[in-house]
Amino acid sequence: MQDLIHQHILPPLNNDTLSALTDGAELGQLDGQVVFTTDSFVVSPLRFPGGDIGRLAVCGTVNDLAMMAARPIALSLGMIIEEGLPLAMLDEVLDSIASAAAQAEVQIVTGDTKVIERRVGIADQTAAQTESESLPGSEENGLIINTAGIGLREVEIAPTTENIEPGDVIVINGHIAEHGLAVMSVRQGLEFTSTLRSDAAPLNSLIAATLAAGLCPKFLRDPTRGGLAGTLVDIAEATGQTIEVDEEAIPVSATARHAAELLGLDPLTVANEGKCVLVVAAEEVSPLLDCLRAHPLGRNSVAIGRVTEPATASVELITKAGGRRLLRRPYGEELPRIC
Amino acid sequence: MQDLIHQHILPPLNNDTLSALTDGAELGQLDGQVVFTTDSFVVSPLRFPGGDIGRLAVCGTVNDLAMMAARPIALSLGMIIEEGLPLAMLDEVLDSIASAAAQAEVQIVTGDTKVIERRVGIADQTAAQTESESLPGSEENGLIINTAGIGLREVEIAPTTENIEPGDVIVINGHIAEHGLAVMSVRQGLEFTSTLRSDAAPLNSLIAATLAAGLCPKFLRDPTRGGLAGTLVDIAEATGQTIEVDEEAIPVSATARHAAELLGLDPLTVANEGKCVLVVAAEEVSPLLDCLRAHPLGRNSVAIGRVTEPATASVELITKAGGRRLLRRPYGEELPRIC
């Protein structure tokens, strides 16, 4: 364990606070409104086009803070490693954690690592039964990551659903469903969708740019598990308002649409990682889109819907054909475990 | 998942910050030196005499903060639940988390829960091979918990090994090896040691009492994995000093000594959970012991050794027979996974 920490974990994460190896990290005095969050990651396979569990673990917690309009100050890293996980894989994940943390301009200041006995996963059992050694993902179980994060909120008023009212506009910062479809494609062995890449990215600089421009999103949410549909239903139910979204306006790439068809999934319910739903007052839409589009992670930002009356606590999709259908919160098989 | 959160997780942990179910918890302005820590828990069996994984998960992180002389302000709770874990067991663990948090006067303010596919554990495989359904602990896999914690340090100077110098005295707040032996006894089916109970406890009020009395421990450390020996070797190596401990002074109960003999373990290397090693200046020993002994968690506090010269970066045990032997950091089989 001493070797693991000193030779594999500390070097890539390289910072004095972590390297002190004390029971906790000294962060000094924090000036501002403190926000605290945590998330665990159990994705399989551990690596996929556009990212891996390490990048997910950093971006997920950074984005939870960003959605609270908070600047990430410090992250913790809890790793549960199964015996038998190749050290090369661990090193790769740690490099990825370091790289995502650098991109988000935040440090891993405290951590904990546990090594547990190797257990036979469902995928391994299936592989054994079919005498296949190459079931996608089966060889890559064995690592669970938890990250917790501390952030400082930079604006007076926290973005919450309570701010939302009729007339507000729903904006998204780019193409949906890329993360979930990239992971599911690898898992199902759909090689020809290999141009699909996870969109996992730290969104804090994008949110900071909108706040720095004096824009005040009323609400922010990263549409991860449950996808865009899940997030919109959450908002409608929390506010009691009606949300109307235009199918035609929702950005879905041709590759993603194709992969979703093959996998039998609705892009609206597939998990995103580097996306953000912003609810803004109508008069802020134009400057907000200008601001988002000037950022590498917001180039394809677009308004996709609005809060309308009368209030029905539901989400209506205006289809490309001009029809209307209610969006529901996905459940069961629509929710593969991918983040 | 919505049902799990609303019916099983939120009610016992009952607080407004957590129940808001936002991406993170709003903690407001924190006035003081902020300390941040994390720990993951993979103990098997999930419950044991004197505690369970929930109590461990709260106490472990509270104590990491307390060892930094920090008052715990907020905890996060990340749960990884295997499909098939009985809901009654989850409820029991959550009640235990709530009760330990109440004892430590801290709230679980943010959390994350993942349900993963059931995997066959090593213990389950063994049970299947031996056609036994009652292998201790085998039915109780299926829950991993991570807690992270934020604390505020209450004294100007952080306790660190850098403060330690020759003449300082080593104090412990009670009997050692109780946690590790309680867990190992259950695991090995040693029924007759059933009076052994885990000492898992939140030590923050004990540490706060010493600080409130104006006492300034130079260093604090909870001797968990690796036991008292591991902690003393850590201190000797970090400071380069020589630590001398009196075997006769180290409190070990007769039951613990008996269980350790049966299990082939040295009590000095067995994990503790509700114990704290304090290094103090010689002139503070007497008032410190008075203060610790006035607290329910410090009644059996005692001085067990001292920092001596010349500096050898090692720990010498003065045996009951008057001999001397070097204490080493335990490794391998001496370190069963119990916390």
Side-chain angles (χ1 to χ4, degrees):
Chain A
M1 182 57 78
Q2 295 287 321
D3 287 351
L4 192 68
I5 290 172
H6 288 279
Q7 290 170 27
H8 295 271
I9 299 175
L10 296 183
L13 305 181
N14 181 34
N15 69 76
D16 292 344
T17 314
L18 181 67
S19 299
L21 291 178
T22 45
D23 281 319
E26 294 268 0
L27 301 186
Q29 169 79 41
L30 299 184
D31 213 16
Q33 299 293 312
V34 175
V35 177
F36 184 30
T37 190
T38 189
D39 209 345
S40 303
F41 301 85
V42 290
V43 67
S44 172
L46 294 178
R47 95 190 112 184
F48 40 79
D52 61 18
I53 190 173
R55 183 168 176 83
L56 270 191
V58 170
C59 296
T61 289
V62 162
N63 290 350
D64 280 349
L65 294 172
M67 298 306 113
M68 303 285 287
R71 180 168 56 93
I73 296 294
L75 299 186
S76 68
L77 174 67
M79 293 196 294
I80 315 278
I81 303 172
E82 266 187 27
E83 283 175 359
L85 179 79
L87 268 177
M89 171 62 84
L90 182 66
D91 288 340
E92 197 178 306
V93 169
L94 283 161
D95 282 344
S96 175
I97 287 171
S99 146
Q103 192 184 348
E105 296 184 354
V106 65
Q107 286 187 331
I108 312 289
V109 297
T110 188
D112 175 70
T113 302
K114 296 280 189 293
V115 177
I116 61 172
E117 287 170 340
R118 174 124 183 111
R119 300 190 292 177
V120 180
I122 295 288
D124 293 328
Q125 288 180 291
T126 312
Q129 282 161 11
T130 61
E131 292 182 14
S132 155
E133 289 301 307
S134 60
L135 190 73
S138 69
E139 78 282 13
E140 290 190 351
N141 288 315
L143 180 61
I144 296 173
I145 296 182
N146 174 282
T147 46
I150 297 179
L152 285 176
R153 185 152 51 75
E154 302 189 305
V155 285
E156 193 70 16
I157 298 164
T160 76
T161 50
E162 287 168 23
N163 307 321
I164 298 174
E165 55 194 342
D168 289 346
V169 174
I170 317 290
V171 168
I172 193 159
N173 66 318
H175 294 80
I176 65 166
E178 311 268 317
H179 171 72
L181 292 172
V183 175
M184 290 301 292
S185 293
V186 178
R187 214 188 277 177
Q188 301 296 326
L190 300 187
E191 297 296 339
F192 50 95
T193 59
S194 61
T195 53
L196 266 181
R197 293 172 65 80
S198 165
D199 61 347
L203 295 172
N204 54 316
S205 62
L206 180 70
I207 303 304
T210 70
L211 300 177
L215 299 162
C216 294
K218 294 184 166 193
F219 182 71
L220 300 165
R221 174 66 60 86
D222 50 340
T224 54
R225 198 158 195 239
L228 179 59
T231 292
L232 295 177
V233 171
D234 282 349
I235 297 172
E237 291 186 354
T239 58
Q241 304 283 1
T242 304
I243 294 175
E244 201 176 70
V245 283
D246 307 312
E247 188 174 24
E248 195 134 41
I250 299 170
V252 187
S253 74
T255 315
R257 195 174 301 281
H258 186 49
E261 273 167 23
L262 287 166
L263 291 163
L265 296 170
D266 178 355
L268 289 172
T269 66
V270 172
N272 309 274
E273 283 295 332
K275 291 300 173 297
C276 175
V277 170
L278 306 94
V279 184
V280 287
E283 62 271 22
E284 278 206 347
V285 174
S286 173
L288 177 76
L289 287 175
D290 288 347
C291 178
L292 292 174
R293 288 170 182 165
H295 190 284
L297 294 171
R299 260 189 236 115
N300 298 306
S301 297
V302 65
I304 58 169
R306 63 212 69 83
V307 182
T308 62
E309 292 181 290
T312 61
S314 64
V315 182
E316 292 192 5
L317 182 76
I318 304 177
T319 66
K320 288 176 186 174
R324 285 177 175 265
R325 72 171 168 98
L326 280 183
L327 282 190
R328 290 172 314 109
R329 181 180 283 115
Y331 62 91
E333 287 182 5
E334 297 172 298
L335 280 172
R337 165 58 60 207
I338 41 173
C339 50
Chain B
M1 182 56 79
Q2 295 287 320
D3 288 351
L4 192 69
I5 290 172
H6 287 278
Q7 290 170 27
H8 295 271
I9 299 175
L10 295 183
L13 304 181
N14 180 33
N15 70 76
D16 293 343
T17 315
L18 181 66
S19 299
L21 292 178
T22 45
D23 281 319
E26 293 269 359
L27 302 185
Q29 169 80 40
L30 300 184
D31 213 15
Q33 299 293 313
V34 175
V35 177
F36 184 31
T37 190
T38 189
D39 209 346
S40 303
F41 301 84
V42 291
V43 67
S44 172
L46 293 177
R47 94 189 112 182
F48 41 79
D52 61 18
I53 189 173
R55 182 167 177 83
L56 270 192
V58 170
C59 296
T61 289
V62 162
N63 290 350
D64 279 349
L65 294 172
M67 297 307 113
M68 303 285 287
R71 178 168 57 93
I73 295 295
L75 298 187
S76 67
L77 175 66
M79 292 196 293
I80 315 278
I81 302 172
E82 266 188 27
E83 283 175 359
L85 179 79
L87 268 177
M89 171 62 84
L90 182 66
D91 289 340
E92 197 178 308
V93 169
L94 283 161
D95 282 344
S96 175
I97 287 171
S99 146
Q103 191 184 348
E105 295 184 354
V106 65
Q107 286 188 331
I108 311 290
V109 296
T110 188
D112 175 71
T113 301
K114 295 281 187 294
V115 178
I116 62 171
E117 287 170 338
R118 175 127 182 108
R119 300 191 292 178
V120 180
I122 295 289
D124 293 329
Q125 288 180 292
T126 312
Q129 281 160 13
T130 61
E131 291 182 15
S132 156
E133 289 301 306
S134 59
L135 190 73
S138 69
E139 80 282 13
E140 290 190 350
N141 287 315
L143 180 60
I144 295 173
I145 296 182
N146 174 282
T147 46
I150 296 179
L152 285 176
R153 183 150 54 72
E154 301 188 307
V155 285
E156 193 71 16
I157 298 164
T160 75
T161 51
E162 286 167 24
N163 307 321
I164 298 174
E165 54 195 343
D168 289 347
V169 174
I170 316 289
V171 168
I172 193 160
N173 65 317
H175 294 79
I176 64 166
E178 311 269 316
H179 170 72
L181 291 171
V183 175
M184 289 302 291
S185 292
V186 177
R187 215 187 278 177
Q188 300 297 325
L190 299 186
E191 297 295 340
F192 51 95
T193 59
S194 61
T195 52
L196 265 181
R197 293 173 65 81
S198 166
D199 61 348
L203 295 172
N204 54 317
S205 62
L206 180 71
I207 302 303
T210 70
L211 300 178
L215 299 162
C216 294
K218 294 183 166 193
F219 182 71
L220 300 164
R221 174 66 61 85
D222 49 340
T224 54
R225 199 158 195 241
L228 178 60
T231 292
L232 295 177
V233 171
D234 282 348
I235 297 172
E237 290 186 353
T239 58
Q241 304 283 1
T242 303
I243 294 174
E244 201 177 70
V245 283
D246 307 312
E247 188 173 24
E248 195 135 38
I250 299 170
V252 187
S253 74
T255 315
R257 196 175 301 283
H258 186 49
E261 274 166 24
L262 287 166
L263 291 163
L265 296 170
D266 178 354
L268 289 173
T269 66
V270 172
N272 310 274
E273 283 295 333
K275 291 301 172 298
C276 175
V277 170
L278 306 94
V279 184
V280 287
E283 62 272 21
E284 278 206 347
V285 174
S286 174
L288 178 75
L289 287 175
D290 289 346
C291 177
L292 292 175
R293 287 170 182 164
H295 190 285
L297 294 171
R299 261 189 235 115
N300 298 306
S301 296
V302 65
I304 57 169
R306 63 212 70 83
V307 182
T308 62
E309 294 181 288
T312 61
S314 65
V315 182
E316 291 191 5
L317 183 76
I318 303 177
T319 67
K320 288 176 186 173
R324 283 178 176 265
R325 73 170 168 98
L326 279 183
L327 283 190
R328 290 172 314 110
R329 181 180 282 116
Y331 62 91
E333 288 182 3
E334 298 173 298
L335 281 173
R337 163 60 57 207
I338 41 173
C339 49

